[in-house]
Amino acid sequence: MTDVSKIIPATGHPDAGAVDGHGGDHAVAVAAAHGVRTMFTLSGAHVFPMYDGAVNAEPPMRLVDVRHEQTAVFAAEATGKLTRVPGLAVLTAGPGVTNGISPIAQAQFSGSPLVVVGGRAPASRWGTGSLQELDHPPLLAPITKLSRTVHDVADVASSVDEAFVVSGSSHRGPTFLDVPMDQFFGRASIARPAPRERVRVEPDPDSLAEIASLLAGARRPVLIVGTDVWADGAEDAALRFVEAVGVPAVTNGMGRGIVPGAHPLLVTKARGAAFGTCDLAVVIGTPLDFRLGYGVFGGKEGAPAASVVHLADSESQVSGHADLAGSVHGDLTKVLDGLQAALERQPRKPEWSSWVAELQSGVAAGVERDGELLRSGSDPIHPARIYGELLPRLADDAVVIGDGGDFVSFAGKYVEPTRPGSWLDPGPYGCLGAGLGSAIAARIARPSAQVVLLLGDGAAGMSLMDVDTLVRHHLPVVMVIGNNSAWGLEKQPMQMLYGYDVAADLAPQTRYDEVVKALGGGGETVSDPAHIGASLDRAFAAGAPYLVNVITDIDAPYPRKTFGV
Ligand SMILES: Cc1ncc(C[n+]2csc(CCOP(=O)(O)OP(=O)(O)O)c2C)c(N)n1
Ligand SMILES: [Mg+2]
């Protein structure tokens, strides 16, 4: 913990716990005490005190200024996901805040820890028509855990402290504060908020015992490990559980990598058989939404419907719509360790080796099938071939980010991370445009790791200008565009539904690599599958933002079974 009294020299107050300064000094001191090292922002006078607070802090807080507020908030959201300390975005009043709304909504959907501080028109002029006079909290309330105005500079520190505590506590999510300009620039001497212990909720032991008995009685169980397992710091407990109990597992979201790629109990590549023919699905740390068939498992290939158990980090997250055979909520390490202990007390020792073997033969068949496409020599390039070239070049600690439609769905199929906390996808909100913000965050959070940003050509258009931010802040990232000259994920369904498509084509073979070069990075366009590997090697060696623009086949769509509705 940073000692706030050392950051803000107390003037005239011998009290070591006092913080003396303007509102920005207070906010930065509290954020630093919560572990924040970087502030993401785009300039606006309403929030100058935050910058002054960052510059004068000891040590100074790093300021990363971007080209669109959505990038600032996506970067802060990704920081929260990667570091598990709430990310901090600072947005100027009015349009600054409204430009941040999509990524704030995304953070709410993904349970990402994120604190957004907004500027606000001065209180003393409120109602008289000053610049950008918008009352933000009502706009943000439906998509945040806390959304309010701090009306007095003396309350900035305690409010920011609360915003961090609320955002970082289960179930995590974004919080928002705005501070009227006249208060933000004003000065106060206040008592430093005392650091608080994280509250770890104990799961109900009776519920754990019931779930253990369901699991002990199951013949074909599957465990689904989601984002909140990583967010709650339960990744070690989850792998321990899987290995001790011998249950086959599928991972999703930030849960990917918890059971590492190629692990004998990871059956993501046989997901269809695992979900369709299991008799018990134990879902931990992820909602039972469209990604999990709304919580309906079993019922395929003559199998009866499966029982479903939901383990969540907090009560609000336990599914209200699914038909549950059991549920429990609490700290997910305690949930997993408690379930393991309860299972050990069961008289019947589960034996699932033939079920695991059946799924593993499905995995092997999947690997075989994937191999053909990963090696595809077709011209135009099949998007899978890009992953065939990328996978052997990825280090264990690589952070892989997806921002796009079909191109990113292929990534989800082929990239199986070997470490948790290294896969960033848009999550259930599915907001295009997160790419550059996420890449900026990943480069800063994991300074020595490979950072690979996979972009659809459509998605790229939503944030590519922030390559400028990568360049200015010396943040090397490898970007790969699957350039099918279309909004592919929308073009194919429209064709299917109407027999034609509109508003789905982009300009053919746009040179996005030239855009990156113009902004000060490097890049190249590839249209021969045999050249992809060497291009990626140059990108990894560049030591600068580098974009490989791969021209791909629009007639090779992702084989999609659901539109997500
Ligand atoms: C902000 C936002 N706008 C629109 C969409 C709808 N949408 C989902 S996927 C997609 C197409 C993405 O195209 P591209 O990035 O080129 O990837 P491709 O599917 O072609 O591989 C669109 C428009 C969305 N998810 N988010
Ligand atoms: Mg496309």
Side-chain angles (χ1 to χ4, degrees):
M1 281 272 170
T2 309
D3 184 348
V4 176
S5 62
K6 289 204 183 98
I7 296 173
I8 309 296
T11 50
H13 287 276
D15 175 4
V19 182
D20 189 22
H22 54 60
D25 292 323
H26 297 181
V28 168
V30 173
H34 278 276
V36 171
R37 298 287 169 264
T38 309
M39 178 191 300
F40 299 98
T41 193
L42 192 156
S43 188
H46 291 87
V47 291
F48 281 174
M50 290 297 289
Y51 305 162
D52 191 53
V55 168
N56 290 308
E58 187 51 57
M61 182 175 282
R62 185 173 188 175
L63 260 162
V64 174
D65 54 320
V66 300
R67 298 296 301 265
H68 191 299
E69 283 86 359
Q70 70 160 359
T71 295
V73 184
F74 278 129
E77 192 219 359
T79 301
K81 283 171 144 177
L82 291 164
T83 65
R84 298 181 281 191
V85 169
L88 174 63
V90 173
L91 306 178
T92 199
V97 172
T98 50
N99 270 355
I101 284 183
S102 287
I104 293 172
Q106 171 136 308
Q108 174 81 343
F109 273 66
S110 296
S112 310
L114 164 71
V115 173
V116 179
V117 174
R120 183 178 172 95
S124 58
R125 287 211 180 276
W126 199 261
T128 64
S130 63
L131 175 72
Q132 298 165 343
E133 186 191 276
L134 179 68
D135 187 19
H136 312 116
L139 290 177
L140 278 302
I143 50 167
T144 53
K145 292 181 73 181
L146 174 162
S147 177
R148 68 161 185 259
T149 298
V150 185
H151 292 286
D152 188 331
V153 64
D155 296 332
V156 167
S158 59
S159 299
V160 172
D161 183 54
E162 187 183 353
F164 273 94
V165 171
V166 169
S167 170
S169 308
S170 305
H171 179 64
R172 293 163 184 81
T175 56
F176 175 82
L177 297 173
D178 64 4
V179 188
M181 203 174 176
D182 40 358
Q183 291 298 321
F184 226 163
F185 282 74
R187 300 185 78 85
S189 178
I190 48 97
R192 171 162 61 105
R196 294 185 230 187
E197 282 296 304
R198 175 178 164 188
V199 181
R200 291 181 182 270
V201 175
E202 290 286 339
D204 172 44
D206 294 339
S207 304
L208 287 177
E210 278 167 33
I211 295 166
S213 126
L214 285 170
L215 196 50
R219 287 180 305 107
R220 300 161 70 86
V222 62
L223 179 74
I224 295 126
V225 180
T227 293
D228 297 335
V229 176
W230 163 256
D232 220 26
E235 64 276 11
D236 292 343
L239 183 57
R240 211 163 45 230
F241 179 84
V242 166
E243 292 182 336
V245 171
V247 65
V250 172
T251 55
N252 84 357
M254 292 292 284
R256 293 163 63 100
I258 289 178
V259 183
H263 190 286
L265 287 164
L266 182 70
V267 296
T268 308
K269 284 195 191 297
R271 186 187 145 110
F275 289 3
T277 68
C278 65
D279 64 354
L280 175 68
V282 178
V283 181
I284 178 159
T286 188
L288 298 173
D289 61 16
F290 67 93
R291 295 170 300 170
L292 292 179
Y294 302 97
V296 177
F297 295 88
K300 299 273 161 62
E301 296 169 30
S307 302
V308 183
V309 167
H310 202 189
L311 318 177
D313 65 2
S314 51
E315 197 169 5
S316 66
Q317 291 306 296
V318 176
S319 175
H321 64 262
D323 185 9
L324 298 179
S327 71
V328 72
H329 68 272
D331 176 80
L332 293 182
T333 298
K334 289 176 185 283
V335 166
L336 285 157
D337 288 349
L339 189 56
Q340 191 179 330
L343 205 55
E344 279 156 16
R345 288 193 293 273
Q346 286 289 317
R348 185 175 177 279
K349 295 290 158 241
E351 216 295 297
W352 300 314
S353 53
S354 61
W355 164 235
V356 171
E358 182 184 327
L359 291 174
Q360 274 305 343
S361 71
V363 170
V367 170
E368 181 85 21
R369 249 191 335 270
D370 289 354
E372 284 165 32
L373 278 182
L374 291 168
R375 289 187 296 273
S376 165
S378 68
D379 180 9
I381 293 170
H382 192 289
R385 175 65 188 264
I386 302 173
Y387 297 109
E389 298 294 336
L390 180 64
L391 294 182
R393 290 173 168 81
L394 285 183
D396 279 359
D397 64 350
V399 180
V400 179
I401 302 156
D403 182 12
D406 281 352
F407 185 53
V408 172
S409 303
F410 279 113
K413 191 174 164 77
Y414 299 127
V415 181
E416 285 200 321
T418 46
R419 289 194 197 170
S422 58
W423 167 266
L424 290 173
D425 64 21
Y429 196 56
C431 188
L432 298 176
L436 263 293
S438 303
I440 291 163
R443 177 76 288 150
I444 292 171
R446 308 272 167 85
S448 61
Q450 289 175 337
V451 174
V452 180
L453 170 58
L454 306 166
L455 289 161
D457 52 330
M462 292 193 179
S463 72
L464 202 60
M465 197 65 204
D466 263 300
V467 164
D468 170 73
T469 304
L470 293 176
V471 170
R472 280 182 297 110
H473 290 272
H474 310 291
L475 303 170
V477 164
V478 172
M479 292 163 275
V480 184
I481 292 197
N483 187 347
N484 57 8
S485 308
W487 301 99
L489 186 146
E490 304 296 356
K491 186 178 173 77
Q492 306 297 343
M494 192 163 179
Q495 277 287 349
M496 211 174 84
L497 291 169
Y498 290 92
Y500 71 91
D501 67 85
V502 289
D505 288 324
L506 296 164
Q509 308 195 359
T510 296
R511 294 294 303 270
Y512 296 102
D513 53 322
E514 295 290 348
V515 176
V516 172
K517 284 192 199 167
L519 292 170
E524 54 191 282
T525 285
V526 188
S527 49
D528 180 339
H531 295 164
I532 301 170
S535 297
L536 291 173
D537 288 338
R538 282 189 287 276
F540 281 116
Y546 198 100
L547 187 142
V548 180
N549 183 37
V550 188
I551 306 302
T552 59
D553 186 1
I554 183 59
D555 293 321
Y558 185 78
R560 193 170 298 281
K561 294 196 193 83
T562 161
F563 295 148
V565 286

